[in-house]
Amino acid sequence: SQQGEEDPQALSIQEGENATMNCSYKTSINNLQWYRQNSGRGLVHLILIRSNEREKHSGRLRVTLDTSKKSSSLLITASRAADTASYFCATDLRATDSWGKLQFGAGTQVVVTP
Amino acid sequence: KAGVTQTPRYLIKTRGQQVTLSCSPISGHRSVSWYQQTPGQGLQFLFEYFSETQRNKGNFPGRFSGRQFSNSRSEMNVSTLELGDSALYLCASSMTGEANEKLFFGSGTQLSVL
């Protein structure tokens, strides 16, 4: 079963608009990460936010984390056609057997049209 | 620094055969994780290796196995292939595999079982 669930499943926007996607998870975490995947390729790490952080920025990306609601959001500002990809949130578990193991959500497919 | 390299990029096999996939991590990374990605199940954790030892394992049958060599390169093997094993297999590396590390993914091996 998946730890994270993204919402929406798909998002279509025009260049210059902002894209917001949400992730909910079920159990306590150490960190939450966001990854991007271009079609049929590997995942690329975007940002990591720790459980004691509430907001983090990286370039055009803004991530928030609300541990009381077990949810996170990823905002991409001023989107570009190159941002077209699937976006996944991933959580680790507060467990001793979490070596190398992230639990990924189902992903949000974002299409940015010129 | 070279990224994570997975070979081969594509594989076509028939049911009952076995397959070996290879992964070379980023130089200096000692943790290698494997994930299976399918449209229906999403990204599922297979196992993680560190210093030639499997430290963590997902919920996959014994037909899925792996190993890691002294140079941190890793292989995974799937025996007695089933149609449901068709998937994108992703390898990821990190320095130590700890929960606060980001994962660096390869481009994956697309396996088709006919």
Side-chain angles (χ1 to χ4, degrees):
Chain A
S1 63
Q2 293 173 332
Q3 160 81 320
E5 296 291 337
E6 279 97 339
D7 170 60
Q9 288 187 330
L11 184 60
S12 183
I13 56 175
Q14 292 192 316
E15 272 192 324
E17 293 181 337
N18 295 342
T20 300
M21 58 210 86
N22 303 295
C23 166
S24 60
Y25 57 93
K26 299 173 185 173
T27 60
S28 295
I29 60 172
N30 289 311
N31 311 285
L32 186 143
Q33 303 184 41
W34 285 90
Y35 287 82
R36 183 189 73 220
Q37 183 181 35
N38 291 89
S39 181
R41 308 298 290 183
L43 283 76
V44 175
H45 180 266
L46 295 176
I47 198 164
L48 180 152
I49 186 165
R50 303 184 194 285
S51 59
N52 62 354
E53 296 177 312
R54 292 297 167 257
E55 187 171 312
K56 204 161 183 180
H57 297 254
S58 176
R60 294 183 296 111
L61 306 179
R62 172 179 171 255
V63 168
T64 63
L65 178 64
D66 187 334
T67 54
S68 66
K69 295 181 179 178
K70 292 186 170 59
S71 68
S72 174
S73 68
L74 170 66
L75 167 68
I76 305 173
T77 60
S79 61
R80 306 166 182 168
D83 295 328
T84 295
S86 291
Y87 292 82
F88 296 88
C89 68
T91 55
D92 52 43
L93 300 175
R94 288 183 176 273
T96 55
D97 63 345
S98 63
W99 299 113
K101 180 179 181 179
L102 294 178
Q103 302 224 30
F104 287 86
T108 293
Q109 191 170 0
V110 176
V111 175
V112 182
T113 54
Chain B
K1 204 181 240 187
V4 177
T5 303
Q6 288 189 249
T7 57
R9 182 74 179 94
Y10 300 96
L11 264 179
I12 299 175
K13 293 285 187 178
T14 56
R15 279 182 300 174
Q17 288 187 311
Q18 75 165 20
V19 66
T20 299
L21 312 182
S22 180
C23 172
S24 293
I26 290 173
S27 178
H29 285 191
R30 297 172 65 190
S31 170
V32 175
S33 300
W34 288 89
Y35 287 81
Q36 180 197 64
Q37 185 177 27
T38 60
Q41 297 297 315
L43 283 148
Q44 301 286 322
F45 173 77
L46 281 156
F47 29 64
E48 187 261 2
Y49 287 87
F50 181 86
S51 291
E52 302 177 66
T53 300
Q54 185 184 87
R55 292 192 302 189
N56 206 356
K57 190 177 187 304
N59 296 322
F60 279 82
R63 300 184 298 106
F64 292 81
S65 63
R67 60 177 176 169
Q68 187 180 36
F69 302 95
S70 58
N71 61 358
S72 294
R73 190 177 70 85
S74 177
E75 290 181 346
M76 68 162 282
N77 183 277
V78 188
S79 62
T80 319
L81 283 165
E82 301 177 359
L83 295 179
D85 296 333
S86 294
L88 179 66
Y89 289 88
L90 293 163
C91 161
S93 76
S94 66
M95 294 285 286
T96 66
E98 291 182 6
N100 61 354
E101 289 186 333
K102 62 183 181 182
L103 298 182
F104 292 82
F105 283 83
S107 295
T109 293
Q110 183 68 55
L111 173 64
S112 297
V113 182
L114 307 178

